[in-house]
Amino acid sequence: MTDCASQSPILVDIVVADGFVLTEFTAIVELLRTANRVTAKEAFRWRWLSKRGGVVGCRAGITIDTHPFDNKHTAQYVFVLGNSDPDAPDLSMRKTIKAYQWAGARVILLSEAASRYISETGEQLMSHTTHWENRALLNERGTPGMGSNALAADDGQITTSAGMGATYDLVLGILGDHLSAAAVATVTDIFLHETIRTSSTLQPFGGKELSRSGNRTLDQCIELMQANLEEPLRISELAGYLNISERSLERQFRKHFGTSPNAYYRELRLNQANTLLLKTSMSVRDVGLACGFSNGFSTLFGRHFGVTPTALRRARGPAG
């Protein structure tokens, strides 16, 4: 921890593009603002930037007035936000990233900004991560390597992150480098953020052991389901792996989730199909096969979501 009492404010640049993720923006700004309130001083100062400056809007319809890039590069931290479109031209900013790095800034790329950086480097390294939804697009396009499934990863030069809710953990971690433990705990309590997750914490669908029900058997069952979306296991097979009867598994799902194991499993696969339709250019047929639907995919999808896969793909627009 660095004592900020007699120091200048820590400078933070927040770089956005049209369609930026509001969750990520508010996580950064509100945590820094609250840190200043808790410490009763301007411990942090920030500004938001874009390539051309001016009004930039997020997907939620909120707009902010940004400064254009300049050559000052005085910020100690630079956050580049995702914007739901990994192919957005404004996310291609390796020259700007390099300029900040040369100036000694810590550069943090969130979600789509991270996946754009990974695609432009040409390889998914274990020292790089992005949101698990973006991993599907990288894999579909044949970007070599496996990449990390952690919330954040640092390759010694740049930090890539899943973004979204993990942005809170990243910013709280930065606060811990500059404020007292008591101040950080107070900020954490204000946001009702019970635990600051470490960067190595795994994302869902990244091997993380989640507690969905408080029931270890059910949690193990769900982990098996998530690991076998493309080639679904029969319920009898799931019960066999768990060493319980099908009737017992059915009863426990009804008690905790109000649905059957089959229905829960089918919804997991449909939700994955929804992600692939929105995030990749895979054909509708290939999406269905990738999620374990050898036939009847469009009918099941339309019945569940109220829109056909083709209509959803058509309505998503260029930003995904």
Side-chain angles (χ1 to χ4, degrees):
M1 182 203 74
T2 301
D3 184 4
C4 290
S6 59
Q7 296 182 358
S8 300
I10 302 297
L11 303 180
V12 180
D13 279 354
I14 305 168
V15 180
V16 300
D18 275 321
F20 67 88
V21 178
L22 187 60
T23 299
E24 297 169 357
F25 182 81
T26 54
I28 300 166
V29 173
E30 287 300 298
L31 282 170
L32 297 181
R33 183 188 65 79
T34 303
N36 286 352
R37 173 167 72 86
V38 167
T39 58
K41 60 178 177 286
E42 191 183 28
F44 296 90
R45 183 182 299 165
W46 58 91
R47 60 179 184 161
W48 32 88
L49 308 172
S50 63
K51 278 194 171 181
R52 287 166 291 279
V55 175
V56 175
C58 72
R59 298 278 285 181
I62 307 297
T63 60
I64 58 174
D65 194 8
T66 65
H67 298 282
F69 288 155
D70 55 39
N71 295 318
K72 295 178 181 178
H73 301 124
T74 53
Q76 286 100 315
Y77 297 94
V78 182
F79 287 88
V80 185
L81 275 59
N83 75 338
S84 302
D85 179 12
D87 293 323
D90 283 356
L91 290 182
S92 183
M93 53 180 68
R94 294 185 71 184
K95 182 178 178 180
T96 300
I97 290 171
K98 284 293 184 185
Y100 273 114
Q101 289 177 317
W102 277 108
R106 177 181 170 189
V107 179
I108 303 159
L109 307 179
L110 306 179
S111 52
E112 286 77 23
S115 61
R116 181 59 171 269
Y117 176 81
I118 292 168
S119 68
E120 291 184 348
T121 60
E123 186 174 3
Q124 300 185 74
L125 302 174
M126 288 306 295
S127 55
H128 293 152
T129 192
T130 185
H131 192 282
W132 63 267
E133 287 189 313
N134 296 324
R135 185 74 61 195
L137 181 60
L138 290 169
N139 291 338
E140 183 219 348
R141 293 180 174 178
T143 306
M146 296 294 293
S148 169
N149 288 306
L151 293 181
D154 196 318
D155 66 4
Q157 295 182 310
I158 202 161
T159 299
T160 50
S161 169
M164 299 301 286
T167 310
Y168 285 90
D169 303 283
L170 273 172
V171 179
L172 287 166
I174 290 172
L175 297 188
D177 291 335
H178 300 282
L179 305 181
S180 69
V184 176
T186 301
V187 173
T188 304
D189 288 344
I190 289 171
F191 279 85
L192 306 179
H193 200 79
E194 186 175 346
T195 303
I196 302 176
R197 296 173 294 178
T198 63
S199 294
S200 61
T201 301
L202 295 178
Q203 302 174 45
F205 294 101
K208 180 180 179 181
E209 292 190 4
L210 299 172
S211 179
R212 303 284 190 183
S213 63
N215 180 305
R216 183 57 188 153
T217 298
L218 285 186
D219 290 342
Q220 288 178 324
C221 183
I222 293 168
E223 289 169 14
L224 285 168
M225 290 176 172
Q226 289 177 333
N228 294 276
L229 296 178
E230 185 171 355
E231 297 183 7
L233 300 172
R234 294 189 299 273
I235 301 304
S236 60
E237 291 178 293
L238 289 169
Y241 283 127
L242 299 169
N243 198 29
I244 62 174
S245 68
E246 289 185 58
R247 179 174 296 182
S248 176
L249 186 62
E250 174 87 21
R251 186 165 56 248
Q252 291 187 51
F253 263 85
R254 292 286 182 189
K255 176 182 177 181
H256 288 276
F257 301 121
T259 190
S260 68
N262 260 322
Y264 189 100
Y265 202 176
R266 182 170 59 249
E267 185 170 350
L268 281 181
R269 291 155 52 214
L270 287 170
N271 288 343
Q272 175 70 351
N274 182 46
T275 293
L276 294 177
L277 287 166
L278 292 175
K279 292 290 183 179
T280 77
S281 57
M282 294 170 66
S283 70
V284 170
R285 180 178 181 276
D286 285 345
V287 167
L289 292 174
C291 298
F293 297 103
S294 56
N295 53 63
F297 168 58
S298 291
T299 300
L300 287 169
F301 189 95
R303 188 180 301 154
H304 182 74
F305 289 105
V307 60
T308 66
T310 301
L312 179 72
R313 172 67 62 75
R314 190 184 304 120
R316 74 178 180 174

